[in-house]
């Protein structure tokens, strides 16, 4: 706020969040021929960039920031998209079609697209505020880790054996750190994958020198002089370390929307056109809870670049009068060491898994079945299975013989 009262601004379409969904919404609107003004408001100081490399090539130092930008900085000005960086949205008045930024600035809109993503879930144990604890969500987090490594950190404890924790572990091993992964469940990747994938990655990380502790909770982060020196496990053991990386899930960043009255209990609810329950407000990406057609219409949130981009395109089209319900096959990838995992479909509610190929060759596919139908593929180094598996799932297949799916001499495309 300044001496003369709060400043104000407005745009035809305001996009909140400069991540994957927000950036693609602006790109999609211009591609669809939208000529009105577009403003993107984002908390982060950087122009839109890709988040996946933060636990992969960027963290490893293999890609500079310029190479992970979603578009070169000048693109946004060329497309007449105003970027308000370093600005958080504090509240929304949907009846007046106005939002308030954290510095008090009022911003009017005709349509609002919320792509706020999520914040990392924080540790709630003693020692959680010590220096040397890192979350992995934005550039600042990755830069913090890189600075700690440069300053000589050599021993890391990764809390959480999900994709982000494991990717970070792989990079840290490559950088010659001693790494221990602590996971509360009895297997890695328990929330997202079947046991064949869990076991394969546990073996791979062990082979690469990572110490994996399953079925272990963390009761305290211990430190000295305000800085991390170790992690105390529930079993009483202390793992000495110089840094702690936390990957224990995310919390959708939707507080202003919910406070304004939008429906939602796990993120914000949206319909097939990504409309929230508030007039002229859409929501997309990690924070958008939707009935997914590839999960028997279960209401879920997806945390993937594919979902953020495809929802952004759904909204851009809907705003331009080309209303097409969101109907995109989910896909995802994870890179660890030299291994590339690609997933297609959603394995929610699977009742059987088929392993196609031999995990010992480090190239194999896991097919998730529900009532005799394939519903998802996890492909480790099997690009053909992934490409053809996507096509098969998009065809919404009926029952397929398990022996046929397991037979590597029969191409998946022959089953479409
Ligand atoms: P984000 O990209 O998170 O963007 C949200 C933006 O909104 C952020 O910049 C945030 O600061 C801002 N914001 C939030 N609240 C406010 C507010 N009130 N005011 C202003 N700005 C606000 N997905 C894959 O498919 N493959 C991968 O390999 C993969 N790897 C990943 C690795 C890491 C380390 C991380 C963190 C994520 C990874 N993901 C991956 C997930 C993927 O990056 C996300 O699903 C995707 O970024 C979601 O896009 P989004 O627009 O919903 O949110």
């Amino acid at each position: 706020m300044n001496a003369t009262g709060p400043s104000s601004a407005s745009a035809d379409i305001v996009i909140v969040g400069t991540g994957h969904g927000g950036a693609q919404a602006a790109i999609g609107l211009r591609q669809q021929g939208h000529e009105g003004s577009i403003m993107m408001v984002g908390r982060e100081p950087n122009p839109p960039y890709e988040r996946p490399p933060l636990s992969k090539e960027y963290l490893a130092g293999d890609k500079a920031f310029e190479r992970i930008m979603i578009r070169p900085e000048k693109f946004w000005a060329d497309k007449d998209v105003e970027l308000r960086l370093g600005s958080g949205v504090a509240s929304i008045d949907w009846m007046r079609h106005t939002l308030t930024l954290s510095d008090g600035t009022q911003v009017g809109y005709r349509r609002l697209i919320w792509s706020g993503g999520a914040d990392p879930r924080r540790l709630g144990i003693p020692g959680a505020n010590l220096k040397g604890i890192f979350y992995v969500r934005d550039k600042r987090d990755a830069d913090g880790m890189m600075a700690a490594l440069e300053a000589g950190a050599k021993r890391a404890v990764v809390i959480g054996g999900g994709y982000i924790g494991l990717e970070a572990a792989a990079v840290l091993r490559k950088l010659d750190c001693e790494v221990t992964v602590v996971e509360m469940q009895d297997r890695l990747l328990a929330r997202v994958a079947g046991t064949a994938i869990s076991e394969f990655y546990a073996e791979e990380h062990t082979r690469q020198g990572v110490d994996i502790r399953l079925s272990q909770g963390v009761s305290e982060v211990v430190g000295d002089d305000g800085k991390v020196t170790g992690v105390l496990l529930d079993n009483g053991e202390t793992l000495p370390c110089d840094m702690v990386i936390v990957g224990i899930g995310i919390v959708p960043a939707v507080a202003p929307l919910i406070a304004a009255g939008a429906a939602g209990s796990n993120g914000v609810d949206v319909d097939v056109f990504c409309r929230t329950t508030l007039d002229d407000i859409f929501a997309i990406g990690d924070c958008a809870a939707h009935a997914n057609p590839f999960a028997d219409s279960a209401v879920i949130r997806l945390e993937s670049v594919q979902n953020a981009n495809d929802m952004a395109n759904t909204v851009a089209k809907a705003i331009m009068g080309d209303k097409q319900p969101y109907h995109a096959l989910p896909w995802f990838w994870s890179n660890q060491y030299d291994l590339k995992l690609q997933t297609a479909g959603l394995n929610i509610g699977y009742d059987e898994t088929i392993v196609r190929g031999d995990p010992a060759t480090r190239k194999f596919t896991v097919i998730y079945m529900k009532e005799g139908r394939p519903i998802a593929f996890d492909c480790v180094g099997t690009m053909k299975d992934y490409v053809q598996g996507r096509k098969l799932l998009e065809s919404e297949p009926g029952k397929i013989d398990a022996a046929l799916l397991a037979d590597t001499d029969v191409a998946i495309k022959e089953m479409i």
Side-chain angles (χ1 to χ4, degrees):
M1 221 178 281
N2 57 34
T4 54
S7 57
S8 64
S10 71
D12 185 42
I13 297 180
V14 172
I15 300 169
V16 180
T18 52
H20 281 275
Q24 185 55 39
I27 294 167
L29 281 164
R30 289 297 185 230
Q31 279 171 345
Q32 297 294 318
H34 179 76
E35 289 178 352
S37 52
I38 301 176
M39 181 195 293
M40 292 177 73
V41 182
R43 283 188 311 207
E44 293 187 65
N46 316 95
Y49 62 90
E50 295 168 22
R51 229 164 271 286
L54 298 181
S55 53
K56 307 178 182 77
E57 309 92 315
Y58 181 76
L59 182 62
D62 293 339
K63 266 192 185 173
F65 183 67
E66 287 63 39
R67 288 186 58 209
I68 67 167
M69 280 165 65
I70 289 177
R71 290 287 187 278
E73 196 159 2
K74 112 184 220 311
F75 170 89
W76 306 104
D78 289 350
K79 295 286 173 193
D80 203 11
V81 174
E82 181 185 349
L83 294 184
R84 285 221 167 195
L85 302 174
S87 293
V89 171
S91 63
I92 302 168
D93 184 336
W94 65 272
M95 282 203 269
R96 289 177 48 226
H97 281 53
T98 303
L99 44 84
T100 304
L101 305 186
S102 35
D103 66 359
T105 303
Q106 307 270 306
V107 179
Y109 63 84
R110 185 173 65 90
R111 300 266 169 72
L112 176 65
I113 303 173
W114 186 275
S115 191
D119 295 308
R121 179 167 292 123
R122 305 260 149 190
L123 286 176
I125 51 174
N129 293 324
L130 288 167
K131 260 202 203 142
I133 301 180
F134 300 95
Y135 295 85
V136 199
R137 185 71 197 181
D138 60 28
K139 176 178 181 292
R140 215 180 17 196
D141 297 326
D143 289 346
M145 279 188 271
M146 290 159 88
L149 291 164
E150 217 154 90
K154 275 274 164 225
R155 294 166 306 173
V157 172
V158 177
I159 302 178
Y163 283 129
I164 286 180
L166 293 180
E167 288 182 350
V171 170
L172 292 168
R173 280 302 298 140
K174 186 181 158 189
L175 299 176
D176 235 15
C177 266
E178 276 175 38
V179 183
T180 306
V181 173
V182 183
E183 166 58 54
M184 243 165 76
Q185 305 282 325
D186 59 1
R187 60 187 180 91
L188 300 176
L189 298 168
R191 193 174 64 89
V192 288
T195 48
I197 294 288
S198 302
E199 283 164 13
F200 173 77
Y201 277 98
E203 265 172 41
E204 186 65 26
H205 279 277
T206 305
R207 205 167 61 79
Q208 300 279 357
V210 176
D211 182 2
I212 297 175
R213 308 295 185 92
L214 300 174
S215 308
Q216 267 310 320
V218 171
S219 44
E220 186 177 341
V221 182
V222 288
D224 185 24
D225 204 15
K227 206 186 158 317
V228 163
T229 56
V231 168
L232 175 64
L233 302 180
D234 284 350
N235 67 3
E237 184 184 359
T238 299
L239 305 171
C241 63
D242 318 307
M243 65 195 288
V244 174
I245 288 133
V246 186
I248 54 172
I250 58 174
V251 180
V254 290
L257 265 183
I258 300 297
S265 53
N266 170 22
V268 62
D269 294 344
V270 298
D271 68 7
V272 289
F273 305 112
C274 299
R275 293 180 299 202
T276 68
T277 52
L278 300 179
D279 284 352
D280 296 322
I281 303 183
F282 298 81
I284 60 178
D286 284 10
C287 67
H290 64 285
N292 193 291
F294 292 93
D296 288 338
S297 293
V299 175
I300 54 171
R301 288 185 306 97
L302 289 176
E303 298 165 9
S304 71
V305 170
Q306 167 277 319
N307 176 64
N309 284 341
D310 285 335
M311 281 189 160
N313 290 332
T314 297
V315 170
K317 285 186 181 155
I319 287 177
M320 296 305 289
D322 176 15
K323 283 171 82 175
Q324 294 178 23
Y326 181 58
H327 193 281
L329 182 77
W331 54 265
F332 184 83
W333 75 95
S334 172
N335 299 343
Q336 295 166 49
Y337 308 107
D338 59 337
L339 294 165
K340 191 164 173 78
L341 169 74
Q342 292 167 291
T343 84
L346 295 172
N347 64 19
I348 297 170
Y350 70 90
D351 50 30
E352 186 190 352
T353 55
I354 296 166
V355 179
R356 181 179 157 89
D358 181 2
T361 63
R362 300 173 90 236
K363 283 188 196 315
F364 69 106
T365 300
V366 176
I367 304 169
Y368 298 85
M369 308 289 283
K370 188 173 177 185
E371 292 157 12
R373 291 179 304 114
I375 55 168
F377 281 61
D378 279 347
C379 304
V380 180
T382 48
M383 182 67 161
K384 256 194 201 155
D385 282 0
Y386 169 69
V387 172
Q388 296 176 13
R390 270 179 70 164
K391 291 215 172 86
L392 177 68
L393 296 173
E394 273 163 355
S395 74
E396 295 180 27
K399 293 189 178 189
I400 302 183
D401 184 28
L404 197 63
L405 283 164
D407 186 349
T408 49
D409 289 335
V410 183
I412 298 290
K413 66 180 176 193
E414 288 174 35
M415 301 169 213
I416 297 172

